[in-house]
């Protein structure tokens, strides 16, 4: 479990790579509670002399086993880099469930605002947003259960994702 910004409304992370990264295998659960501001320091220019970089996500999680992923955010913003594979929130599970709940803060990705995928198994994807979700180049909210997955996908938004939602 990663608890960031709990009880400290002024907490912030600024990173040239992923703001928060968590990866595990097996049956363990990944839980990220991020209530502070997360931003990518590279901005328009990447750390390599102005080259746009990949993997500059606000929150990046990957479960290669059967465990679940749970991500919760609050009123602060989550901002990724502006390149390909720069997601506001990224969650990939091999077979477990993914549950993403955002507060009223904005989530912005260079690629997808929120990207969630279950590669196999019966894990469900549940995404609930309380604030604006924006993609600079692709999909506001992307949720995918691949052909090997049998789980359900539920997306509930309180504001319109931009530019669109694809399931």
């Amino acid at each position: 479990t990663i608890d960031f910004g709990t009880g400290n409304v002024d907490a912030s992370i600024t990173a040239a790579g992923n703001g928060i990264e968590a990866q595990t295998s097996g049956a363990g659960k990944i839980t990220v509670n991020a209530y502070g501001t997360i931003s990518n320091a590279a901005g328009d220019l990447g750390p390599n002399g102005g080259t746009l970089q990949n993997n500059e996500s606000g929150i990046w999680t990957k479960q290669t086993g059967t465990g679940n992923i749970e991500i919760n955010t609050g009123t602060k913003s989550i901002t990724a880099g502006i390149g390909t594979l720069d997601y506001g929130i990224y969650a990939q599970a091999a077979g477990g469930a993914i549950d993403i709940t955002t507060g009223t803060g904005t989530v912005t990705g260079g690629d997808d605002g929120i990207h969630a995928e279950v590669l196999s198994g019966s894990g469900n994807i549940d995404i609930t947003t309380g604030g604006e979700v924006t993609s600079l180049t692709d999909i506001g909210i992307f949720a995918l259960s691949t052909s090997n997955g049998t789980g359900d996908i539920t997306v509930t938004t309180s504001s319109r994702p931009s530019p669109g939602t694809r399931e």
Side-chain angles (χ1 to χ4, degrees), residues 110-131:
D111 203 324
D112 301 335
I114 296 174
H115 182 104
E117 59 182 304
V118 173
L119 301 179
S120 63
S122 60
N124 295 329
I125 298 174
D126 292 305
I127 300 171
T128 303
T129 64

Side-chain angles (χ1 to χ4, degrees), residues 11-12 19 24 51-52 60 63 65 69 76 106 131 135-136 149-150 157 162:
S12 66
T24 191
T51 304
L52 291 178
W60 188 94
Q63 169 52 281
I69 297 172
K76 302 296 184 176
T106 60
S135 167
L136 300 178
T150 59
T157 64
S162 172

Side-chain angles (χ1 to χ4, degrees), residues 28 30 156 164:
I30 296 173
T156 306

Side-chain angles (χ1 to χ4, degrees), residues 61-77:
T61 58
K62 185 174 185 178
Q63 169 52 281
T64 59
T66 58
N68 299 328
I69 297 172
E70 179 182 351
I71 299 171
N72 301 295
T73 69
T75 61
K76 302 296 184 176
S77 63

Side-chain angles (χ1 to χ4, degrees), residues 62-154:
K62 185 174 185 178
Q63 169 52 281
T64 59
T66 58
N68 299 328
I69 297 172
E70 179 182 351
I71 299 171
N72 301 295
T73 69
T75 61
K76 302 296 184 176
S77 63
I78 310 293
T79 306
I82 65 169
T84 304
L85 305 177
D86 294 346
Y87 305 108
I89 296 174
Y90 176 85
Q92 182 187 78
I98 297 173
D99 184 5
I100 299 171
T101 303
T102 69
T104 56
T106 60
V107 177
T108 304
D111 203 324
D112 301 335
I114 296 174
H115 182 104
E117 59 182 304
V118 173
L119 301 179
S120 63
S122 60
N124 295 329
I125 298 174
D126 292 305
I127 300 171
T128 303
T129 64
E132 185 176 322
V133 177
T134 302
S135 167
L136 300 178
T137 61
D138 205 2
I139 299 166
I141 298 172
F142 176 87
L144 171 69
S145 180
T146 66
S147 60
N148 295 325
T150 59
D152 295 327
I153 297 173
T154 304

